[in-house]
Structure formats: structure tokens, C-alpha cells
Amino acid sequence: EVQLVESGGGLVQAGGSLRLSCAASGFTFDDYAIGWFRQAPGKEREGVSCISSSDGSTYYADSVKGRFTISSDNAKNTVYLQMNSLKPEDTAVYYCAAVYGSSCLDYDYWGQGTQVTVSS
């Protein structure tokens, strides 16, 4: 059974940091790209970042460049999203997703999400 389990969300003050984790199981991790998305109340889901587990290539949305860092620990089948200099507008439910290959498009599997709340 494919599972993606996010953790690490919480409440933090503006300027603070959080590290999200996405633990994957049930598929060959090295063959997939893992992406992070977020959705705030009343807003559309937004792609935040993506990493290819095979070659480590990464993508960041302009809104998080320079503040967020995505990384992958293939031995643990886990992808991390280090979020620094958090802003209230980063408040959202954060989801990780997996797609076969390295395209960072058309994801196959999704996690249940973890809430991130940034207070001003």
C-alpha cells in the first residue's frame, strides 16, 4: 500500500522556522519525484517545491525561493522541507505528493497534509 505521511507542522511566529517531513512507503522511492504543495483557506492549491529522488534536481515556487529548502534522504525514504523566515502568508495545509519519474507534474499519490500556521 502506498503511503505518504507528512509531519512537522505547527504554530510558529513570523520569522520562525519549521521542518516538514514526508515519509514514503509502498513504492520504489528512487524512481519518483516528491513535491510539496500547500492550500490556504479559500485559495487554490499551490506547488511549493519538488525534488527528484533519482538526481536530486529541485524546483521552488518564486514565493518561497531563498526561504525554503527541499532535501531527500533516500535511505529513509523521506523528503524534508526546511522552511525559514516564515511569513503569515505561508499559513496553509501542506501536502506532499509523489510522481513516477522526475517531471514534478501529474502526481500519482498524495498525503493527508499537515497544518502550518504562522502568526504575525
Side-chain angles (χ1 to χ4, degrees):
E1 179 188 4
V2 173
Q3 280 195 316
L4 294 169
V5 180
E6 303 95 337
S7 61
L11 173 64
V12 65
Q13 288 188 330
S17 298
L18 284 173
R19 188 178 79 156
L20 305 184
S21 299
C22 173
S25 62
F27 59 91
T28 305
F29 187 77
D30 291 359
D31 291 341
Y32 282 72
I34 306 293
W36 284 98
F37 294 78
R38 65 186 181 187
Q39 188 164 23
K43 294 189 177 182
E44 292 189 356
R45 187 174 61 199
E46 174 189 17
V48 174
S49 185
C50 176
I51 186 167
S52 168
S53 299
S54 60
D55 63 11
S57 57
T58 58
Y59 157 83
Y60 296 95
D62 288 342
S63 57
V64 306
K65 278 181 183 176
R67 300 188 298 123
F68 291 10
T69 303
I70 193 169
S71 62
S72 177
D73 185 337
N74 288 20
K76 295 182 178 180
N77 286 5
T78 300
V79 169
Y80 304 98
L81 186 68
Q82 178 67 44
M83 307 187 296
N84 298 329
S85 302
L86 283 162
K87 305 175 182 179
E89 51 263 44
D90 294 317
T91 295
V93 177
Y94 283 71
Y95 301 88
C96 65
V99 57
Y100 183 79
S102 59
S103 69
C104 290
L105 296 171
D106 300 325
Y107 287 82
D108 301 306
Y109 309 114
W110 292 83
Q112 293 300 307
T114 186
Q115 176 71 47
V116 171
T117 303
V118 184
S119 63
S120 57

